Amino acid sequence: MKIVHLFSIRAAASAAGNAIAFSFSQLGVIVSIIGGILFLGEKKTKKELVYVGIGIVLFVTGAILLAIVKSKG
């Protein structure tokens, strides 16, 4: 079972060139969100800030995991 799982990860990593490029290009959204809040003075409730923080953490985690998978392949 583990061998099949490792094989599928390697196959996905070798085919993930476009996925990684697209994911990293979307990291600009994080800059836009933070810039809007800090520099443009967008008002967010505490609940919205928590959701923004969770979203940023998940997005960055996903980008890091994609980079790790690509580097192993």
Side-chain angles (χ1 to χ4, degrees):
M1 182 70 162
K2 286 188 177 188
I3 294 172
V4 172
H5 180 66
L6 289 174
F7 179 72
S8 64
I9 289 175
R10 287 193 181 262
S14 64
N18 288 336
I20 291 199
F22 178 75
S23 297
F24 279 105
S25 71
Q26 295 304 307
L27 287 173
V29 172
I30 294 173
V31 174
S32 299
I33 292 170
I34 294 172
I37 293 170
L38 295 178
F39 300 118
L40 299 178
E42 285 188 18
K43 303 295 181 200
K44 298 285 182 200
T45 64
K46 188 173 185 174
K47 185 177 181 180
E48 290 172 334
L49 286 175
V50 168
Y51 287 144
V52 166
I54 291 170
I56 288 173
V57 167
L58 290 174
F59 201 88
V60 171
T61 302
I64 290 169
L65 290 174
L66 275 173
I68 290 170
V69 168
K70 183 64 176 175
S71 70
K72 302 251 182 195

